[in-house]
């Protein structure tokens, strides 16, 4: 008797039948990353979504990433395993508040992190990710005042890196990175004195000041793979461990628990499961549906970002 197909096998069959590509963020569970066509950070996945010529994009990350894929490639069907996979940064910044800021400050340039709703993107002048934020802010004429939204830690890091004084920063934060306590990092440094500290710029300054390297998830992976160090304390979501071990076999990675869950996992990213992914590919829902007008407006700042790099 033939064994019943595993869920992963079902997904691979559905992916072929639907002419689908499976894009997964580094924070996804290993079993999702294993069958993904591409695993990457938010910028790399956006670029892949833009180029895809099949019928369906199945996005395993959080909802704003799936929305971004739809805006970049609107004639594809974009599905995601769970529509409730949100992001505390998206929740911290409402389009009405951004519109009001614009009304009061019409000459400011609004730079929005990609971790925003599509409505906020549509109100923005240019977008950025953690990978290109410094480059994007540096591309704006020095005399212009910038509003950076919504992540206060990323904004403050970009301000330090660019030395730009005329920069206002929204006060949103990531529930995962913002709650890594620096005292736990200091404890880890005592326990692993040989380890390099690598951190995502969504961490607070009290953490970043102890980091040897700061960068996006993919930049952290590239750094650890290329570094002469054999051991790292990784100040980001622990799902990245799967990609780290693939990219830097034999090296050791340590994680620091945050105050929220006493872990280093994003509860939104972890809503996605193989079962939900299979059902999304089978039923083509939850599906990203956006009005053409909203997509047209959100595409402008996205394309500006991709043109800068
Ligand atoms: P990356 O741009 O590094 O993928 O980060 C996205 C994110 O949500 C980090 O918490
Ligand atoms: Fe949002 Fe933080 Fe989760 Fe990234 S880790 S998706 S910023 S809540």
């Amino acid at each position: 008797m033939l064994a019943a197909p595993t869920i992963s096998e079902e997904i691979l069959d559905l992916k072929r039948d639907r002419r689908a590509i499976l894009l997964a963020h580094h924070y996804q569970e290993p079993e999702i990353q294993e069958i993904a066509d591409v695993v990457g950070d938010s910028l790399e996945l956006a670029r892949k979504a833009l180029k895809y010529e099949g019928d369906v994009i199945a996005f395993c990350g959080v909802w704003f990433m799936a929305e971004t894929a739809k805006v970049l490639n609107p004639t594809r069907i974009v599905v995601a395993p769970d529509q409730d996979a949100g992001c505390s940064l998206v929740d911290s910044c409402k389009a009405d508040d951004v519109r009001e800021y614009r009304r009061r400050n019409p000459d400011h340039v609004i730079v929005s992190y990609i971790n925003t709703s599509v409505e906020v993107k549509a109100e923005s002048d240019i977008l950025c990710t953690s990978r290109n934020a410094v480059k994007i802010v540096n591309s704006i004429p020095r005399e212009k005042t910038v509003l950076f939204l919504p992540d206060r830690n990323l904004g403050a890091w970009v301000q330090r890196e660019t030395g730009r004084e005329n920069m206002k920063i929204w006060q949103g934060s990531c529930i995962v990175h913002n709650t890594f306590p620096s005292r736990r990092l200091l404890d880890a440094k005592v326990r692993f004195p040989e380890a390099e500290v690598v951190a995502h710029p969504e961490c607070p300054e009290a953490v970043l000041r102890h980091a040897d390297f700061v960068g996006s998830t993919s930049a952290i992976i590239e750094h650890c793979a290329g570094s002469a160090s054999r051991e790292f304390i990784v100040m980001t979501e622990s799902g990245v461990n799967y990609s780290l071990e693939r990219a830097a076999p034999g090296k050791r990675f340590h994680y620091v628990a945050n105050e929220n869950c006493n872990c280093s996992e994003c509860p939104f990213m972890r809503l996605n499961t193989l079962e939900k992914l299979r059902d999304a590919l089978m039923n083509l829902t939850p599906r990203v549906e956006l009005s053409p007008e909203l997509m047209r407006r959100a595409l402008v700042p996205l394309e500006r970002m991709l043109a800068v790099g």
Side-chain angles (χ1 to χ4, degrees):
M1 204 172 68
L2 277 176
T6 63
I7 299 179
S8 296
E9 287 165 346
E10 285 183 70
I11 292 170
L12 293 174
D13 285 347
L14 279 162
K15 199 159 73 70
R16 197 191 49 241
D17 296 349
R18 292 285 191 204
R19 293 199 343 119
I21 188 171
L22 175 53
L23 304 181
H25 191 267
H26 290 296
Y27 297 165
Q28 292 297 286
E29 298 286 353
E31 61 264 29
I32 293 181
Q33 293 196 40
E34 254 161 38
I35 55 169
D37 295 294
V38 182
V39 179
D41 68 10
S42 53
L43 183 62
E44 291 165 335
L45 296 177
R47 288 192 190 282
K48 286 290 173 194
L50 170 70
K51 294 260 157 64
Y52 187 56
E53 291 181 349
D55 296 333
V56 175
I57 298 172
F59 209 116
C60 291
V62 286
W63 192 255
F64 77 79
M65 296 179 181
E67 281 182 342
T68 305
K70 181 72 183 173
V71 171
L72 287 169
N73 202 342
T75 56
R76 314 294 158 210
I77 293 170
V78 179
V79 296
D82 193 323
Q83 189 157 2
D84 291 333
C87 170
S88 62
L89 285 169
V90 173
D91 296 341
S92 73
C93 187
K94 302 288 175 223
D96 279 349
D97 297 331
V98 179
R99 272 190 284 271
E100 179 58 17
Y101 182 95
R102 168 82 80 196
R103 198 184 61 72
R104 288 170 189 262
N105 305 281
D107 56 326
H108 291 190
V109 177
I110 300 183
V111 179
S112 296
Y113 191 25
I114 203 161
N115 296 41
T116 43
S117 67
V118 68
E119 290 80 6
V120 167
K121 288 183 175 72
E123 300 301 326
S124 307
D125 293 304
I126 190 164
L127 300 182
C128 70
T129 74
S130 56
R131 195 166 177 119
N132 61 17
V134 168
K135 204 169 172 188
I136 297 290
V137 168
N138 274 335
S139 75
I140 294 160
R142 249 3 246 183
E143 69 280 4
K144 293 269 189 194
T145 298
V146 164
L147 167 66
F148 188 95
L149 65 83
D151 187 67
R152 64 169 179 248
N153 296 327
L154 176 63
W157 177 72
V158 170
Q159 188 164 32
R160 290 194 295 280
E161 291 291 304
T162 59
R164 191 174 191 118
E165 279 169 17
N166 51 352
M167 194 168 152
K168 315 264 178 216
I169 300 172
W170 206 268
Q171 291 300 303
S173 63
C174 160
I175 49 168
V176 182
H177 294 84
N178 190 50
T179 55
F180 285 134
S182 55
R183 64 183 156 72
R184 289 192 182 164
L185 168 59
L186 294 177
D187 288 349
K189 277 171 74 87
V190 172
R191 272 186 294 138
F192 310 111
E194 301 299 317
E196 248 189 85
V197 178
V198 294
H200 196 281
E202 289 173 11
C203 295
E205 202 274 326
V207 165
L208 296 182
R209 90 166 70 110
H210 301 289
D212 300 296
F213 177 80
V214 179
S216 74
T217 43
S218 288
I220 287 175
I221 294 161
E222 286 160 21
H223 175 82
C224 293
S227 165
S229 301
R230 308 293 306 159
E231 213 175 337
F232 302 85
I233 300 168
V234 183
M235 301 304 290
T236 191
E237 217 271 4
S238 53
V240 77
N241 196 57
Y242 181 81
S243 300
L244 276 171
E245 289 192 336
R246 275 217 297 208
K251 294 194 177 181
R252 292 181 66 207
F253 302 101
H254 310 287
Y255 296 86
V256 169
N258 68 23
E259 306 272 25
N260 263 352
C261 60
N262 217 17
C263 68
S264 33
E265 294 182 357
C266 171
F268 302 111
M269 289 275 182
R270 302 308 173 114
L271 285 175
N272 297 332
T273 61
L274 281 181
E275 286 83 354
K276 290 182 197 172
L277 172 59
R278 176 201 52 203
D279 294 350
L281 274 168
M282 193 146 44
N283 306 319
L284 296 181
T285 180
R287 188 189 300 202
V288 180
E289 314 245 33
L290 300 166
S291 81
E293 171 61 10
L294 187 58
M295 288 199 282
R296 190 190 58 73
R297 291 179 53 226
L299 183 60
V300 175
L302 259 170
E303 283 185 331
R304 284 189 189 135
M305 170 186 83
L306 293 174
V308 174

